[in-house]
Amino acid sequence: MSQHSEIPRLRDDRPTEPVMMSACQSGGCGGGTAPRMPPPPTFSEVRVNGVEIDPDAIAREIQHHPAPDGETAWTEAARALAIRELLLQEAERLSVTAEPEADEASRLEAEPDAVIAALLDREVVPQTPDEDECRRFYDAQKVKFRTADLFEASHILIEPEGGDQAAWAAAEAQADAVIAEVGDDPAAFAKAARDVSSCPSAAQDGSLGQVRRGELVPQVQKVLERLKPGWTHRAPVRSKFGWHVLRLQRRIEGQELPFEVVRDRIADTLEARSWSIEAARYVGRLAQQAQVEGITIEPDTGSGAA
């Protein structure tokens, strides 16, 4: 089984913005911007068998290693690049070559990444889990093998016309009036959504579709959790986007998936776990035989390799 996704590498991809459900692309139901990272730190020189790891490369790699402090982020980035260099040197020693592969977007991987992948595919052999091992994993973690609970919900968003307290109070009063007008009548709710909602979901009668936990802002999700199907919540719910009038059409409880349905997925998970362990051990053995300066590669964990 190929495990190219586990290979330590330099990446030039950029994080994508969170994508909201089609009915709420304005972001009125969740989302946000990622915090900015502090300037990257610099520490000691890092060498693998006399080859120095470029400090600028370490600084660029830091963005892929979130950590509570700069020193930890630098250490993890430096270790990942040291392992990368270690593997490239071993591939050269064994005369391993490879043709870069294209991803789903037809982008070719870097040649060094292809070489590392070929080396690990050749040298790392994971254990294939048997039926009993898969069954034990399933029995121990059944809670993970179920479909998600779904909430089929609608909302009307009343945005304040300003940021002051008076504007928010006026918006709340409007939301209260909408609730009093529509009650639990789905047709009245749909009409009010089309007439007054500030969310793009107004075009779908306020429908948010079927959403999972975590897809809506916490204030909205909390109310949906306790709202009875077919009811409109009797008080507007405030979020940073405005006041929400909420209606729950129905709740679809998740179902436990039978072992036969998830057996192959479990086998893949266990094999991937085995591959990670064996890859870490392989990197650890290489590190023990190499001269690594400025960073520690633990022989038992092979941090950064898996």
Side-chain angles (χ1 to χ4, degrees):
M1 179 178 66
S2 176
Q3 302 288 345
H4 295 188
S5 63
E6 304 288 344
I7 302 165
R9 63 184 65 192
L10 282 172
R11 292 162 292 184
D12 60 0
D13 51 301
R14 297 292 183 266
T16 58
E17 291 296 321
V19 178
M20 296 307 300
M21 62 203 74
S22 59
C24 281
Q25 292 178 352
S26 67
C29 298
T33 57
R36 292 183 177 274
M37 289 289 291
T42 55
F43 294 97
S44 58
E45 293 181 349
V46 179
R47 292 186 176 86
V48 177
N49 293 323
V51 176
E52 183 180 2
I53 306 300
D54 184 0
D56 290 339
I58 297 175
R60 291 192 298 270
E61 179 71 8
I62 283 176
Q63 66 179 310
H64 303 300
H65 300 271
D69 57 79
E71 181 177 356
T72 301
W74 181 93
T75 299
E76 293 302 318
R79 181 181 290 117
L81 295 187
I83 291 172
R84 176 183 169 85
E85 177 62 30
L86 187 65
L87 291 170
L88 287 172
Q89 290 182 16
E90 181 66 6
E92 183 177 5
R93 187 184 74 82
L94 297 176
S95 300
V96 174
T97 59
E99 289 293 328
E101 296 181 357
D103 62 14
E104 295 179 354
S106 299
R107 295 174 300 188
L108 282 178
E109 65 183 332
E111 184 176 352
D113 293 337
V115 170
I116 291 174
L119 172 69
L120 294 177
D121 282 346
R122 167 179 155 175
E123 299 296 321
V124 177
V125 181
Q127 295 182 358
T128 301
D130 59 24
E131 196 77 3
D132 289 341
E133 187 176 358
C134 291
R135 173 68 73 172
R136 286 194 299 271
F137 185 88
Y138 173 79
D139 290 339
Q141 305 196 46
K142 280 187 178 181
V143 68
K144 294 183 178 180
F145 301 110
R146 56 178 286 120
T147 58
D149 294 340
L150 298 176
F151 299 82
E152 191 172 309
S154 300
H155 86 146
I156 298 169
L157 177 64
I158 307 298
E159 290 182 333
E161 295 183 357
D164 57 18
Q165 185 175 353
W168 277 89
E172 182 181 16
Q174 183 183 359
D176 279 324
V178 169
I179 292 171
E181 177 184 350
V182 303
D184 296 319
D185 184 345
F189 190 101
K191 182 179 185 304
R194 293 193 301 270
D195 291 344
V196 302
S197 181
S198 299
C199 180
S201 64
Q204 288 81 43
D205 298 339
S207 175
L208 299 174
Q210 294 180 350
V211 295
R212 302 180 184 184
R213 288 187 180 89
E215 291 183 338
L216 302 175
V217 292
Q219 301 93 326
V220 170
Q221 184 65 50
K222 183 178 179 180
V223 170
L224 291 180
E225 293 283 352
R226 63 175 187 264
L227 192 57
K228 291 183 179 181
W231 285 29
T232 298
H233 190 54
R234 291 301 188 262
V237 178
R238 179 172 177 167
S239 76
K240 63 181 180 180
F241 305 106
W243 292 98
H244 303 262
V245 177
L246 298 176
R247 174 180 170 81
L248 180 65
Q249 275 75 262
R250 63 174 176 151
R251 182 183 290 108
I252 305 171
E253 300 292 338
Q255 300 295 317
E256 185 176 290
L257 298 172
F259 173 74
E260 292 72 23
V261 172
V262 297
R263 193 269 177 209
D264 290 345
R265 190 200 315 173
I266 292 173
D268 288 344
T269 297
L270 293 176
E271 188 170 346
R273 179 183 296 177
S274 173
W275 188 93
S276 295
I277 293 171
E278 294 303 323
R281 290 173 177 167
Y282 176 66
V283 170
R285 290 193 296 271
L286 292 181
Q288 284 184 307
Q289 300 164 8
Q291 183 178 2
V292 181
E293 306 170 63
I295 200 70
T296 300
I297 300 175
E298 297 293 341
D300 291 335
T301 64
S303 297

